[in-house]
Amino acid sequence: MVPLNDSNGDRSDRWEAQLRKGCLEMAILASLWGGRLYGLEMLRTLAERSGMDLAEGTLYPILARLKAEGLLVSEWVEADAGHPRKYYWLTAAGRRRTREMVEAWSNFSSSLSALVQPISGGKK
Amino acid sequence: MNTQPALDIRIGHYLARLESALHDLPSHQTDDIVREIRAHIVERLETSPDRQATVERVLASFGDPEDLAERYRTEFMLARAAHSYSPWLLLKTTGRWAMTGIRGFAVFMVAMVGYSMAAGFYLTAMLKPFMPTKVGLWVGRGSFDFGVRDSTEGVHELLGAYYTPVTLVLGILAVIGTTLLLRLLIRAGRSKQGKLQAL
């Protein structure tokens, strides 16, 4: 009984991790919708507004790729605190891509909500 | 109790390892990456009461410098390969991707099979003029294959003088088909590349 529960728990954890992983790129792009941010700010924004606890070692390589793909641009800015920060913001192509992803996401989640509504609604 | 110089040495050592692991990237890119990660660590430390614990936590979150470098390299290659038609770059990229998991490995196998098939067509096309009676499209009972045969008993050759032009065209189609398929798979797969930890 106990091992069975454990393995089910593992499986649903893994499923949740996969789900979050799939949305990662959209979440990073979406965090920049309101304007420029630097890496640490992005991590904080994602944690505060989406509960995504993203590892540093995951974020920066993805930012490098999004930049190489022309979806983001970056610039070093000297902060008041005396050390520089690398800010990122969306290019026109990045905004287009973000909008497409968000649209696909909204369509997908609203069509699924109808299906899962009786389950989540019936939850005690 | 760790002092500031000891922490600086720890951070410096991490960044030096990262820098050397990134040696094959253009130096402006390496410098930029190292500078950004240094800035991140410094800022994390500024607001932290326990600096030593923070350094360890942040470095752990970045992961081994060699792994981090590998992630950068994979991401850069995926960015380039998704817009590339070069079989060599696609093969190299999927080879690297194959190291990171089953999905990458599957795509790498597609690359290997597709490009090997193309190479096979080219090779036999070139051999045909030298071994006209042994190279061909052999059709017999239960067999249908391109290539070199020692024994031609029970099979007959179908293409004759058309063998070389036909296999050259098939080779080109195999390269183009594999290349387009790989670009598609890379584009579909790269958004799932990021790893989310500590959930």
Side-chain angles (χ1 to χ4, degrees):
Chain A
M1 188 71 186
V2 169
L4 187 71
N5 279 344
D6 277 351
S7 82
N8 279 344
D10 278 359
R11 218 168 293 155
S12 70
D13 281 356
R14 217 166 51 211
W15 177 79
E16 200 184 322
Q18 288 286 338
L19 186 66
R20 283 170 185 259
K21 216 195 268 184
C23 302
L24 197 50
E25 197 172 315
M26 177 183 73
I28 292 173
L29 291 169
S31 74
L32 290 168
W33 191 258
R36 64 173 203 180
L37 296 175
Y38 61 98
L40 188 54
E41 271 181 322
M42 255 179 259
L43 288 179
R44 286 176 178 152
T45 305
L46 287 170
E48 281 164 20
R49 295 180 47 195
S50 73
M52 269 189 162
D53 195 0
L54 193 57
E56 272 93 338
T58 303
L59 174 70
Y60 285 102
I62 294 178
L63 287 176
R65 169 169 55 82
L66 294 174
K67 192 183 157 187
E69 286 176 344
L71 301 178
L72 305 179
V73 280
S74 67
E75 193 187 19
W76 282 98
V77 175
E78 288 295 328
D80 299 336
H83 56 75
R85 288 164 174 168
K86 192 179 176 186
Y87 280 90
Y88 293 85
W89 62 95
L90 294 167
T91 61
R95 293 191 86 80
R96 226 170 19 243
R97 178 107 180 89
T98 310
R99 199 175 279 125
E100 284 164 8
M101 286 175 126
V102 169
E103 250 165 51
W105 162 259
S106 308
N107 290 340
F108 179 67
S109 74
S110 67
S111 53
L112 266 187
S113 329
L115 176 71
V116 301
Q117 195 275 329
I119 305 166
S120 56
K123 203 170 156 183
K124 278 176 202 165
Chain B
M1 188 71 197
N2 258 18
T3 57
Q4 182 60 34
L7 286 184
D8 285 345
I9 289 168
R10 173 92 173 94
I11 297 167
H13 184 64
Y14 182 93
L15 294 173
R17 268 173 70 190
L18 177 65
E19 195 172 347
S20 85
L22 287 168
H23 67 276
D24 54 337
L25 291 184
S27 67
H28 71 271
Q29 232 161 28
T30 308
D31 293 347
D32 203 57
I33 290 170
V34 172
R35 188 177 176 207
E36 184 173 31
I37 289 175
R38 183 193 298 278
H40 181 101
I41 299 170
V42 167
E43 186 157 353
R44 275 274 200 223
L45 280 179
E46 264 172 8
T47 51
S48 146
D50 184 349
R51 299 165 66 86
Q52 189 189 347
T54 302
V55 166
E56 293 310 325
R57 202 176 55 239
V58 173
L59 293 187
S61 175
F62 274 115
D64 269 345
E66 290 75 19
D67 291 345
L68 181 60
E70 192 57 36
R71 246 171 281 151
Y72 268 109
R73 216 175 280 123
T74 306
E75 295 287 355
F76 278 130
M77 286 187 101
L78 287 170
R80 275 197 301 150
H83 299 277
S84 163
Y85 287 104
S86 149
W88 174 236
L89 180 62
L90 287 166
L91 198 58
K92 247 182 13 180
T93 304
T94 51
R96 192 177 288 288
W97 196 9
M99 307 297 175
T100 65
I102 186 77
R103 194 187 175 84
F105 185 75
V107 176
F108 178 63
M109 287 314 290
V110 170
M112 286 300 284
V113 169
Y115 289 136
S116 304
M117 202 161 77
F121 281 130
Y122 288 138
L123 190 70
T124 61
M126 283 188 292
L127 286 174
K128 179 69 174 171
F130 300 102
M131 310 158 83
T133 57
K134 288 188 173 176
V135 176
L137 169 58
W138 302 105
V139 181
R141 201 190 298 163
S143 84
F144 181 90
D145 62 293
F146 286 90
V148 186
R149 267 185 178 256
D150 277 333
S151 150
T152 56
E153 237 182 77
V155 290
H156 64 279
E157 209 280 317
L158 213 60
L159 292 171
Y162 292 111
Y163 185 84
T164 300
V166 166
T167 46
L168 284 178
V169 169
L170 287 177
I172 291 167
L173 290 179
V175 169
I176 294 174
T178 308
T179 302
L180 293 179
L181 182 61
L182 288 175
R183 281 167 51 104
L184 211 73
L185 290 171
I186 288 171
R187 281 164 184 237
R190 68 195 168 166
S191 56
K192 296 174 182 118
Q193 268 291 295
K195 279 189 196 129
L196 212 63
Q197 293 156 8
L199 279 168

